[in-house]
Amino acid sequence: MSLYKRKDSSFWWVKITVGRQKVQRGTGTSSRIEAQEFHDKLKVQLWEQERLGLKPRHSWKEAVIRWLNETSDKATHHEDVSKLKWLDKFLSDLMLEEINLDCIDKIRSEKLKEASKATVNRYLALIRSILIRACQEWEWIERTPKIRLFKESNVRERALTIEQAKVLLNELPSHQRSTVLFALTTGLRLSNVVKLEWAQVNLDLKHAWVKGNESKNRKPIAIPLNNVAIEVLKQQLGNHPERVFTYLGRPFVAANTKAWKSALKRAGIEDFRWHDLRHTWATWQRQAGTPTHELQRLGGWKTASMVERYAHVAPDNLEHAASRLNAVFSGYDLATVD
């Protein structure tokens, strides 16, 4: 039977044999009429491929599945999944060659209604990456549309002053205060703080680490612990056998919660995200005199250029370097001669 239903699915499935090709595929619909249309179109496509030697057509859904399988080790894999779910309503019914600039413009316009240009760029860049791989590596399509991105403004640089941080810490409930304080003393990203395990901590050596598969650049990060970070960890001892940060005896699930947002409001802090704690830490490090190469290693950044955004916050640290030329001009009279 070429059209049937499986026990584990409400959708119709097709099973077609044309020459040497045998295809078994879900139709994505529970309507028998629509499923029959899908069957008939697919059979024609298979016949054209078999008899006329035409290249097989592939759908956006096929490309998404293959992309997710091949990129499952990406640090941002879960973010890709979320983006692709949102894109599904625009692209799920299309074949790859049907994705054109009109389709992309519609996606751009719709996303722009609810997000910033930078966020829209992340969605468009994901579509572009999948299409490029489908063209250049999988050879599923002959060409890709030239997807243009918005020109983005400078990288976000939002950091708290020490006084603001103290006010915020006082407004936070104790369980969240410990995670925020640990982030401010280590510079770790949200997921690395929330998911930290005791197996990644050595209190005697004042050292912790992030596993390579849990860091953004896929490389392990060594974390030297200062006295404040050590005290935060000691306060968590005995709360859970595996995870460091907990709430009511259970491992943290998220830190960017209603309690966090309410604390920000009470502290009078606006336009501040949890990830900005990392920017705050890096800013404080630079102001304290930490050089670029050390900050890069501490923060686990892939390139030094990603750290240079904080260079301007510590101009006083260059005073010593500038003063080295004092001796060159020693005794030189800069007074204007009449």
Side-chain angles (χ1 to χ4, degrees):
M1 183 179 180
S2 59
L3 197 61
Y4 67 97
K5 278 192 175 183
R6 289 170 30 166
K7 293 181 180 179
D8 60 346
S9 175
S10 61
F11 295 148
W12 287 96
W13 285 66
V14 297
K15 183 185 291 184
I16 304 174
T17 300
V18 176
R20 294 170 294 175
Q21 297 187 78
K22 294 182 179 180
V23 176
Q24 187 172 346
R25 186 181 301 173
T27 66
T29 179
S30 56
S31 166
R32 185 180 179 89
I33 295 176
E34 293 178 358
Q36 187 64 54
E37 292 177 356
F38 180 92
H39 168 275
D40 296 342
K41 289 180 181 178
L42 180 59
K43 193 167 185 178
V44 170
Q45 291 174 14
L46 294 174
W47 184 88
E48 290 176 342
Q49 294 165 20
E50 179 73 20
R51 302 296 175 86
L52 305 179
L54 298 182
K55 196 172 187 176
R57 301 177 73 208
H58 295 276
S59 67
W60 170 256
K61 283 185 177 180
E62 290 179 273
V64 166
I65 292 171
R66 184 165 179 178
W67 167 268
L68 290 176
N69 287 334
E70 293 185 2
T71 61
S72 59
D73 60 341
K74 280 182 63 179
T76 56
H77 179 74
H78 65 288
E79 296 176 14
D80 284 355
V81 172
S82 177
K83 291 183 178 70
L84 290 168
K85 285 181 179 178
W86 187 88
L87 290 167
D88 191 63
K89 58 180 175 285
F90 299 97
L91 303 173
S92 63
D93 296 329
L94 299 181
M95 305 302 288
L96 290 178
E97 68 271 15
E98 294 174 336
I99 300 176
N100 54 31
L101 290 180
D102 288 339
C103 178
I104 298 300
D105 286 341
K106 182 178 180 181
I107 292 172
R108 180 187 288 107
S109 298
E110 288 300 314
K111 194 61 186 175
L112 198 56
K113 293 177 182 178
E114 61 183 40
S116 66
K117 290 182 178 180
T119 299
V120 173
N121 279 350
R122 304 291 86 75
Y123 282 76
L124 298 181
L126 179 58
I127 298 172
R128 184 169 64 181
S129 295
I130 293 175
L131 292 178
I132 288 175
R133 184 171 294 197
C135 178
Q136 298 181 1
E137 295 187 24
W138 306 336
E139 297 183 348
W140 282 5
I141 49 179
E142 297 296 333
R143 58 185 296 275
T144 63
K146 294 182 179 180
I147 301 176
R148 59 181 177 83
L149 305 182
F150 288 112
K151 184 177 180 180
E152 296 185 29
S153 57
N154 294 332
V155 177
R156 178 184 174 91
E157 298 169 1
R158 180 71 170 94
L160 297 177
T161 64
I162 293 177
E163 290 72 22
Q164 287 176 319
K166 289 179 178 178
V167 174
L168 175 59
L169 288 168
N170 288 333
E171 293 293 343
L172 287 166
S174 58
H175 65 283
Q176 283 226 329
R177 187 182 307 124
S178 60
T179 59
V180 170
L181 190 54
F182 192 73
L184 287 171
T185 57
T186 61
L188 287 178
R189 294 179 173 87
L190 172 59
S191 62
N192 297 141
V193 173
V194 171
K195 298 178 181 179
L196 186 67
E197 299 180 353
W198 287 114
Q200 297 168 251
V201 176
N202 189 318
L203 291 175
D204 293 331
L205 296 178
K206 295 186 176 182
H207 177 75
W209 58 91
V210 172
K211 305 171 189 175
N213 62 348
E214 294 178 353
S215 72
K216 191 172 182 179
N217 67 5
R218 315 315 285 168
K219 293 182 179 180
I221 303 174
I223 311 161
L225 302 172
N226 60 27
N227 293 336
V228 177
I230 290 290
E231 287 304 313
V232 170
L233 293 176
K234 285 182 176 179
Q235 291 175 8
Q236 314 310 312
L237 288 170
N239 291 339
H240 195 272
E242 296 179 4
R243 295 277 283 275
V244 173
F245 295 106
T246 61
Y247 177 57
L248 299 178
R250 297 180 179 178
F252 252 72
V253 176
N256 190 14
T257 62
K258 185 177 180 180
W260 158 258
K261 295 174 183 177
S262 297
L264 286 172
K265 189 173 182 179
R266 290 194 300 272
I269 298 173
E270 300 178 349
D271 186 31
F272 193 82
R273 307 171 304 184
W274 215 95
H275 187 73
D276 292 330
L277 294 171
R278 179 170 167 84
H279 296 315
T280 299
W281 166 83
T283 299
W284 291 356
Q285 285 282 358
R286 289 295 276 176
Q287 290 173 338
T290 304
T292 298
H293 69 280
E294 289 183 1
L295 185 56
Q296 181 183 347
R297 291 187 62 188
L298 285 171
W301 279 287
K302 193 171 184 179
T303 64
S305 62
M306 301 177 74
V307 189
E308 284 300 327
R309 74 176 84 170
Y310 305 105
H312 70 283
V313 301
D316 291 344
N317 294 326
L318 299 178
E319 182 179 344
H320 176 68
S323 65
R324 291 175 184 144
L325 292 183
N326 287 342
V328 175
F329 297 100
S330 178
Y332 184 81
D333 187 1
L334 295 180
T336 303
V337 179
D338 293 332

